């Protein structure tokens, strides 16, 4: 059964369509078999953990208890998260609490000697929360199990004795709902008076439960550990949540089951400006599924609910004298209003009707934790107030501007609501890799995990991220690789500050979100377009993105990155050389080609540039070209390019000497000289025409931007409305003079060197890997006002023309990419191109030699 047929049947199952009402084409999918329909309904319902009483499965399975038992059995076997959304059935009916569920799962995993890495990420996190068993604890338990004698005990009994005997869940918030669980008369006889009062109250609630905050906190935790009550995290359609940097996330693997995939899909889309209902509409997912996901994020500590009822609301305004800061001027000798809490040295006791219902133990608990918890209701307070030592003081507006921040305080952002859009900075996994592995500081790891797992670091979390990045000192690192990681992190920090603090788009200063291209591309195309259109006014990519990562492609918002997938591939290199008429000697081989000998055009090369479709380019020595190329061609097309040259001489009398000089003088010279030069664009307004007459040998890193080739590339590709950098390859050709025996001096003097600069590639976006180049690109964004509304429109127009021209070029070498390519309107800059599932692959060998494309 194909995917489209499965989706068709799923639609009828969710709409509870009986067999008799199924359309004829749906029955044909099932071979006209009522039994097959029943089996499919059962399989789908168990896999998606549908409720028995509100789904079609109740028509096929009459025993509700048996149905839920099967869900538990298969969920444990497949290491699936505890189904919290049906806990009101699993706990009272089957006495299966999260603790018992994960206890069984852990026993089975350890009994069968499975690796801890087999637990999916979210399942592993929930096990850690309920059982306090993480990777290290798991390994320790397995070692203890092996060390104990199993002569008279079963292995499963030994493991059971090592595991916790009761739930260790402690992170419960005051607004969560506690409900009465499975009756247990023996346990209830041994309860304290406080615990008995809670049980009696819950029994009277008719299954609705009570908020945990109205009871004594320790009594609630005790009942949870004994399994007599269970927890529900209530989520409403109007709720708004935020995702702070992840703590305690377990990075194992993504299982791929439907709910784990849904969790990641919602993770990258959620933000604290969008309600649950609106998020459901943007993602086009049932709102109940979104609630389940959000509830789980909060339960695991990965998200926080924003619109909470405060613990304390007794706030009054009292006049208090204010010490003037040096920059404040006296104003008519009047006293500034000062807002204080009605507190005393004793613990805070709520006095208002709204706050009196909360138990004092919860207020004390949050005070001890010193978290950003909703003690205080500040919804109606005047603007520009900060809390300092339990006093809310009026401050100068400039004090609300965080360093390098958005200069919009949280109140203003809230008032703007969903209309406030941001800049999206697109990164790939290479950034999270060097943040996690670069030994740059422990505080960065939580942010790196968030960027990798959530796929986004929101503007609200950037201040703390920047503080951690500020602690990096590249001079402290001696190892070259570690120093490179540190330099890259500093460039990322400077880029974030630059983008957050300067750009006004649509009359508003923009916030900034960091977006993972991998996570954004995990969304289906229509959903991705809706998410980006709703939240962002412009996208900016890091440059270059890794070749094995697909860039985020969108027409709305405008995108300063690769405009289409093909620009991020070897096709664009060939198109660049074709349009400019210059480039390194290049041959593009289709997948499956076998090279029996080195192509003749590379015979004078020292090193070759090897570019595949799914890996970053590498350089290989000519001697290693054949095995490297043939291995890659088994799975990918391959572009080979001349990188560095050496002239071979066949005169017998000097061949031995030449071989010696080639391995010493020439190679060492190439190691010392810079081969690739990167030039930030646009540069056309800075060119001094007097300097364009320099010889090729006179160009260096300081004046290479004045090279005529840079000007030509900018004109041909109309780069003045975009930003990024152009890579030039410095070709150094070595040859013997016409009379080599007449030469005297060192061995290197036997060679005549010819220098030529040729284009290598164009990269769109802001580079992170080079701090100097990073500053140059950022300066050009400012200098030419490239994020203005006028420039955004022109940039989008240029990107569309570039994409269409590239499509035509590719179609001239292989079957057309789009059947209706000629009918695509180039003026519709706000519309996306017809979807292409994969980058088109070459069907024949294509070469670029001596300035000409040859098929």
């Amino acid at each position: 059964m194909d995917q489209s047929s499965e989706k068709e049947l799923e639609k009828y199952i969710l709409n509870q369509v009986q067999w008799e009402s199924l359309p004829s084409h749906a029955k044909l999918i099932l071979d006209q078999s009522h039994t097959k329909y029943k089996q499919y309904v059962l399989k789908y319902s168990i896999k998606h953990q549908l409720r028995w009483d509100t789904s079609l499965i109740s028509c096929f399975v009459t025993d509700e208890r048996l149905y839920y038992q099967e869900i538990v059995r298969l969920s444990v076997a497949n290491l699936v998260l505890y189904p919290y959304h049906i806990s009101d059935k699993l706990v009272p009916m089957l006495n299966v609490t999260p603790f018992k569920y994960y206890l069984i799962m852990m026993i089975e995993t350890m009994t069968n000697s499975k690796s801890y890495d087999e637990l999916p990420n979210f399942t592993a996190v929930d096990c850690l929360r309920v059982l306090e068993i993480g990777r290290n604890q798991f390994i320790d338990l397995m070692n203890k199990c092996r060390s104990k004698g199993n002569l008279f005990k079963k292995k499963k009994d030994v493991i059971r004795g090592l595991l916790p005997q009761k739930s260790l869940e402690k992170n419960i918030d005051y607004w969560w709902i506690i409900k009465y669980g499975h009756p247990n008369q023996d346990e209830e006889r041994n309860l304290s008076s406080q615990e008995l009062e809670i049980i009696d109250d819950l029994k009277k609630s008719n299954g609705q439960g009570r908020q945990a905050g109205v009871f004594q906190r320790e009594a609630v935790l005790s009942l949870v550990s004994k399994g007599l009550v269970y927890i529900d995290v209530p989520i409403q359609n109007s709720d708004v949540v935020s995702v702070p940097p992840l703590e305690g996330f377990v990075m194992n693997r993504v299982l791929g089951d439907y709910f784990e995939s849904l969790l990641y899909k919602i993770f990258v889309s959620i933000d604290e400006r969008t309600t649950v209902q609106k998020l459901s509409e943007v993602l086009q997912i049932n709102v109940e599924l979104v609630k389940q996901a959000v509830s789980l994020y909060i339960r695991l500590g990965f998200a926080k609910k924003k619109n909470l009822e405060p613990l304390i609301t007794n706030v009054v305004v009292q006049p208090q004298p204010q010490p003037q800061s040096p920059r404040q001027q006296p104003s008519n000798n009047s006293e500034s209003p000062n807002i204080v809490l009605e507190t005393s040295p004793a613990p805070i006791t709520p006095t208002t009707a709204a706050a009196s219902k909360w138990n004092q133990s919860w207020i004390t608990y949050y005070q001890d934790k010193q978290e950003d918890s909703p003690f205080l209701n500040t919804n109606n307070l005047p603007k520009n107030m900060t809390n300092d030592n339990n006093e809310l003081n009026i401050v100068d507006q400039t004090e609300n501007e965080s360093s390098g921040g958005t200069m919009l305080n949280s109140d203003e952002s809230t008032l703007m609501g969903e209309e406030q859009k941001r800049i999206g900075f697109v990164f790939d996994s290479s950034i999270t890799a060097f943040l996690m592995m670069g030994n740059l500081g422990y505080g960065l790891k939580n942010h790196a995990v968030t960027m990798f797992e959530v796929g986004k670091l929101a503007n609200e979390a950037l201040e703390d991220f920047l503080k951690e990045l500020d602690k990096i000192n590249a001079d402290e690192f001696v190892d070259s690789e570690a120093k490179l990681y540190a330099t890259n992190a500093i460039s990322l920090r400077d880029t974030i500050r630059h983008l957050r603090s300067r750009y006004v788009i649509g009359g508003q200063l923009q916030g900034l979100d960091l977006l993972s291209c991998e996570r954004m591309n995990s969304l289906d195309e229509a959903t991705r377009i809706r998410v980006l259109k709703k939240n962002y006014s412009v996208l900016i990519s890091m440059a270059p993105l890794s070749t094995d990562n697909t860039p985020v492609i969108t027409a709305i918002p405008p995108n300063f990155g690769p405009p289409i997938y093909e620009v991020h591939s070897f096709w664009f290199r060939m198109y660049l050389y074709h349009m400019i008429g210059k480039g390194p000697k290049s041959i593009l081989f289709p997948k499956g080609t076998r090279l029996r000998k080195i192509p003749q055009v590379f015979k004078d090369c020292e090193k070759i540039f090897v570019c595949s479709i799914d890996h970053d380019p590498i350089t290989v020595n000519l001697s290693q070209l054949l095995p490297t190329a043939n291995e890659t061609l088994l799975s990918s097309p391959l572009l080979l390019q001349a990188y560095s040259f050496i002239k071979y001489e066949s005169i017998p009398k000097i061949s031995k000497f030449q071989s010696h000089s080639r391995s010493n003088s020439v190679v060492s010279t190439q190691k010392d000289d810079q081969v690739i030069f990167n030039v930030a664009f646009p540069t056309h307004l800075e060119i001094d025409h007097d300097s364009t007459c320099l010889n090729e040998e006179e160009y260096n890193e300081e004046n290479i931007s004045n090279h005529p080739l840079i000007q030509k590339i900018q004109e041909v590709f109309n780069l003045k409305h975009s930003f990024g950098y152009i890579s030039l390859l410095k070709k150094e050709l070595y040859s013997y003079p016409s009379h080599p025996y007449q030469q005297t001096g060192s061995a290197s003097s036997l060679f005549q060197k010819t220098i030529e600069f040729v284009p290598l590639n164009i990269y769109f976006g802001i580079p992170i890997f080079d701090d100097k180049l990073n500053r140059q690109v950022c300066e050009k964004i400012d200098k030419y006002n490239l994020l203005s509304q006028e420039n955004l429109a022109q940039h989008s127009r240029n990107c569309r023309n570039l994409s269409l021209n590239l499509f035509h070029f590719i179609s001239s070498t292989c079957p057309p990419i789009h059947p209706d390519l000629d009918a695509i309107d180039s003026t519709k800059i706000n519309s996306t191109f017809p979807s292409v599932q994969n980058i088109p692959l070459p069907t024949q060998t294509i070469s670029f030699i001596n300035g000409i494309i040859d098929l």
Side-chain angles (χ1 to χ4, degrees):
M1 188 182 299
D2 58 24
Q3 189 174 7
S4 60
S5 298
E6 290 182 353
K7 289 186 177 180
E8 180 78 7
L9 292 178
E10 290 172 8
K11 180 179 66 175
Y12 297 123
I13 294 174
L14 294 176
N15 292 328
Q16 301 188 37
V17 179
Q18 298 283 351
W19 170 257
E20 294 77 13
S21 303
L22 277 179
S24 56
H25 69 275
K27 291 183 178 179
L28 284 175
I29 297 174
L30 298 162
D31 300 328
Q32 301 291 339
S33 173
H34 179 269
T35 302
K36 284 188 176 181
Y37 187 50
K38 175 183 177 180
Q39 292 173 346
Y40 193 85
V41 171
L42 179 62
K43 178 182 177 181
Y44 180 85
S45 301
I46 292 177
K47 178 182 178 181
H48 289 77
Q49 302 170 338
L50 301 183
R51 298 184 70 87
W52 179 87
D53 51 354
T54 59
S55 61
L56 184 62
I57 189 63
S58 59
C59 300
F60 295 100
V61 178
T62 57
D63 191 336
E64 180 181 12
R65 182 185 183 88
L66 182 63
Y67 169 70
Y68 286 121
Q69 284 178 339
E70 189 66 9
I71 286 181
V72 172
R73 186 184 69 82
L74 290 179
S75 296
V76 169
N78 293 318
L79 307 178
V80 175
L81 269 165
Y82 180 83
Y84 287 101
H85 62 289
I86 53 174
S87 58
D88 61 323
K89 297 292 185 180
L90 300 186
V91 178
M93 184 182 295
L94 303 179
N95 194 22
V96 178
T97 63
F99 169 73
K100 293 179 180 178
Y101 178 88
Y102 288 122
L103 187 67
I104 296 172
M105 182 184 294
M106 194 60 63
I107 290 173
E108 293 297 325
T109 301
M110 299 177 72
T111 302
N112 296 320
S113 300
K114 293 182 179 179
S115 169
Y116 182 80
D117 291 333
E118 292 192 34
L119 292 175
N121 291 347
F122 284 96
T123 303
V125 171
D126 212 17
C127 279
L128 179 61
R129 184 181 67 91
V130 176
L131 302 178
E132 292 188 357
I133 297 177
R135 186 184 307 277
N136 294 336
Q137 293 81 4
F138 182 90
I139 295 173
D140 184 54
L141 287 171
M142 289 296 291
N143 291 334
K144 288 181 179 178
C145 178
R146 295 187 186 101
S147 65
K148 289 181 177 289
N150 295 330
L151 184 61
F152 301 106
K153 285 186 178 181
K154 293 182 179 180
K155 183 178 181 181
K156 186 174 291 188
D157 294 335
V158 174
I159 293 173
R160 190 186 299 272
L162 295 173
L163 294 174
Q165 302 303 308
K166 62 180 181 179
S167 174
L168 302 176
E169 183 177 358
K170 290 191 171 42
N171 294 326
I172 299 175
D173 272 338
Y174 71 97
W175 56 276
W176 294 6
I177 303 297
I178 58 172
K179 296 181 179 180
Y180 182 61
H182 190 78
N184 189 328
Q185 299 298 326
D186 293 335
E187 284 281 1
E188 291 183 21
R189 290 193 191 99
N190 300 320
L191 297 181
S192 66
S193 58
Q194 287 181 327
E195 293 170 345
L196 282 173
E197 288 178 6
I198 296 176
I199 292 295
D200 291 340
D201 196 353
L202 295 180
K203 288 179 179 179
K204 297 175 184 177
S205 68
N206 296 322
Q208 298 302 311
R210 296 280 189 266
Q211 284 187 315
V214 302
F215 303 117
Q216 209 275 338
R217 186 174 185 278
E218 293 303 322
V220 171
L221 293 178
S222 176
L223 290 173
V224 170
S225 68
K226 295 173 182 177
L228 294 174
V229 300
Y230 65 98
I231 300 293
D232 181 35
V233 180
I235 300 295
Q236 307 301 324
N237 291 6
S238 58
D239 285 343
V240 179
V241 298
S242 64
V243 179
L246 299 184
E247 293 186 11
F249 196 89
V250 180
M251 299 177 68
N252 276 2
R253 66 185 181 96
V254 179
L255 181 65
D257 71 284
Y258 95 98
F259 193 61
E260 183 122 349
S261 301
L262 177 68
L263 288 171
Y264 278 106
K265 185 175 183 178
I266 296 176
F267 236 160
V268 74
S269 308
I270 202 169
D271 64 74
E272 59 184 74
R273 300 167 295 151
T274 305
T275 64
V276 169
Q277 177 66 45
K278 183 64 177 178
L279 182 62
S280 169
E281 295 171 1
V282 171
L283 298 177
Q284 293 188 356
I285 297 175
N286 185 285
V287 68
E288 293 302 321
L289 287 176
V290 177
K291 286 181 180 178
Q292 292 174 25
V294 171
S295 174
L296 182 67
Y297 297 147
I298 294 175
R299 190 187 294 267
L300 298 180
F302 298 152
K304 293 184 178 180
K305 191 174 175 182
K306 300 291 289 185
N307 52 328
L308 288 175
E309 182 182 356
L311 278 173
I312 304 172
T313 60
N314 51 325
V315 183
V316 295
V317 178
Q318 294 180 351
Q320 294 288 338
Q322 279 294 312
Q324 295 178 357
S325 64
R327 58 178 176 176
Q328 287 178 326
Q329 300 297 327
S331 56
N332 302 326
N333 297 325
S334 61
E335 294 179 338
S336 302
N338 186 37
I339 301 194
V340 299
L341 292 175
E342 291 183 335
T343 59
S344 63
I348 298 174
T349 302
T351 58
T352 64
S356 59
K357 67 178 182 180
W358 304 118
N359 188 279
Q360 176 65 42
S361 61
W362 292 89
I363 299 173
T364 305
Y365 164 72
Y366 285 116
Q367 285 178 322
D368 292 341
K369 287 184 68 174
Q370 294 182 345
E371 283 191 348
D372 181 20
S373 298
F375 289 126
L376 184 64
N377 183 0
T378 59
N379 293 334
N380 300 318
L381 294 179
K383 294 181 181 180
N384 307 332
M385 296 185 178
T386 59
N387 192 345
D388 185 17
N389 296 327
N390 287 337
E391 292 187 356
L392 296 176
N393 304 313
I394 293 181
V395 297
D396 192 351
Q397 172 67 24
T398 56
E399 293 180 6
N400 280 335
E401 300 174 5
S402 57
S403 59
T406 63
M407 297 193 298
L408 290 175
N409 59 39
S410 58
D411 292 333
E412 292 172 328
S413 298
T414 302
L415 291 174
M416 289 178 182
E418 296 178 3
E419 299 302 321
Q420 173 69 11
K421 295 186 178 182
R422 295 177 175 176
I423 295 174
F425 183 73
V426 180
F427 65 90
D428 64 22
S429 57
S430 61
I431 283 186
T432 56
F434 72 68
L435 289 178
M436 283 192 281
M437 299 187 298
N439 195 27
L440 303 178
Y442 180 78
L444 281 174
K445 291 188 177 180
N446 286 341
H447 294 286
V449 171
T450 305
M451 293 166 69
F452 182 79
E453 294 293 345
V454 177
K456 178 169 67 175
L457 198 63
N459 185 69
E460 292 78 13
L462 289 185
E463 278 305 316
D464 185 56
F465 184 48
L466 291 171
K467 289 178 182 177
E468 295 296 334
L469 290 173
D470 282 335
K471 299 176 183 178
I472 299 174
N473 183 1
D475 295 334
E476 295 178 355
F477 296 90
V478 178
D479 179 72
S480 59
E481 187 173 3
K483 193 177 187 69
L484 177 62
Y485 288 154
T487 304
N488 292 348
I490 292 172
S491 295
L492 175 63
R493 177 199 66 191
D494 295 342
T495 301
I496 293 172
R497 284 215 168 98
H498 193 89
L499 294 177
R500 290 182 81 205
S501 62
R502 285 171 170 79
Y503 302 122
V504 176
I505 301 178
Q508 296 176 350
L509 191 63
Q510 304 294 287
L512 177 72
D513 288 350
L514 306 185
L515 303 175
S516 165
C517 64
E518 295 96 333
R519 284 283 181 252
M520 290 305 303
N521 285 319
S522 67
L523 303 175
D524 61 86
E525 184 178 6
T527 301
R528 182 174 65 251
I529 290 173
R530 288 193 301 272
V531 170
L532 294 175
K533 183 177 180 180
K534 173 190 173 295
N535 292 322
Y536 302 102
S537 56
V538 63
L539 291 186
I540 299 173
S541 290
M542 64 169 278
L545 293 168
S546 298
T547 305
D548 55 350
N549 291 317
T550 304
V552 177
I553 306 301
T554 176
I556 303 177
N559 183 13
F560 287 92
I564 54 175
Y565 304 121
E566 289 76 7
V567 172
H568 191 54
S569 70
F570 46 64
W571 284 117
F572 187 65
R573 290 179 181 242
M574 299 296 284
Y575 176 62
L576 168 63
Y577 311 151
H578 169 66
M579 294 299 294
I580 301 301
K582 294 184 70 173
K585 295 177 181 179
S586 306
I587 303 180
L588 177 59
F589 295 100
K591 175 183 173 181
T593 304
R594 302 301 292 168
L595 299 183
R596 301 188 181 278
K597 61 180 181 179
I598 295 173
Q600 186 66 31
V601 295
F602 299 131
K603 289 292 186 180
D604 58 348
C605 291
E606 176 74 19
K607 293 181 180 294
I608 304 294
F609 220 45
V610 178
C611 311
S612 66
I613 198 170
D614 52 3
H615 291 291
D616 289 335
I618 60 172
T619 58
V620 299
N621 292 326
L622 190 68
S623 59
Q624 297 298 316
L625 179 59
L626 282 180
T628 302
N630 283 323
E631 181 180 359
T632 305
L633 282 166
L634 292 174
S635 58
S636 167
L638 190 65
L639 176 64
L640 300 181
Q641 298 183 287
Y643 182 73
S644 61
F645 294 84
I646 181 64
K647 183 65 176 178
Y648 288 88
E649 181 59 57
S650 59
I651 301 176
K653 294 182 180 179
I654 62 171
S655 58
K656 194 172 184 180
F657 170 74
Q658 179 187 343
S659 176
H660 174 76
S661 64
R662 171 177 170 268
S663 62
N664 289 300
S665 62
V666 175
V667 174
S668 63
T669 301
Q670 290 190 358
K671 287 183 178 179
D672 295 335
D673 291 345
Q674 185 174 353
V675 177
I676 295 179
F677 290 78
N678 297 317
V679 181
F681 67 82
T683 63
H684 60 288
L685 297 179
E686 301 172 354
I687 289 184
D688 179 4
H689 292 284
D690 294 335
S691 65
T692 59
C693 300
L694 297 174
N695 295 324
E696 295 287 89
E697 295 83 359
E698 298 179 271
Y699 285 103
N700 53 41
E701 188 176 4
E702 300 302 323
N703 60 13
I704 190 65
S705 61
N706 295 323
H707 197 286
L709 185 58
I710 297 294
Q711 175 70 359
K712 184 176 181 180
I713 293 173
Q714 290 185 122
E715 291 177 353
V716 171
F717 289 90
N718 203 2
L719 299 179
K720 62 181 179 180
H721 299 285
S722 305
F723 54 83
Y725 66 96
I726 301 168
S727 282
L728 299 183
L729 179 65
K730 183 180 180 182
K731 291 174 56 178
E732 295 185 354
L733 302 175
Y734 295 87
S735 62
Y736 278 99
S738 57
H739 302 288
Y741 294 102
Q742 298 176 5
Q743 300 296 322
T744 59
S746 64
S748 61
S749 65
L750 290 174
F751 295 99
Q752 287 183 342
K753 183 169 68 172
T754 304
I755 294 179
E756 180 186 11
F757 287 91
V758 296
L760 186 60
N761 204 356
I762 301 175
Y763 299 96
F764 296 90
I766 299 180
I768 300 298
F769 67 93
D770 185 322
D771 56 341
K772 181 178 179 180
L773 188 62
N774 174 270
R775 289 193 299 271
Q776 291 174 348
V777 172
C778 290
E779 288 169 1
K780 290 181 183 298
I781 297 174
D782 282 350
K783 182 174 183 178
Y784 300 121
N785 199 17
L786 296 178
L787 292 183
S788 65
Q789 288 297 316
E790 297 77 10
N791 190 75
L792 291 180
Q794 186 59 49
H795 166 74
S796 298
R797 189 172 295 107
N798 294 343
C799 285
R800 190 169 183 84
N801 289 330
L802 172 63
S803 302
L804 283 173
N805 292 335
L806 181 55
F807 283 154
H808 281 290
F809 170 76
I810 299 173
S811 297
S812 69
T813 65
C814 61
I817 301 174
H818 299 292
D820 56 348
L821 183 59
D822 293 330
I824 297 176
D825 190 347
S826 63
T827 63
K828 294 182 178 180
I829 62 175
N830 293 331
S831 62
T832 56
F833 291 105
S835 178
V836 177
Q837 292 297 105
N838 298 299
I839 293 177
L841 303 181
T843 56
Q844 57 184 324
T845 300
I846 306 170
S847 62
F848 179 84
I849 301 172
N850 298 326
I852 300 174
I853 289 284
D854 187 22
L855 303 178

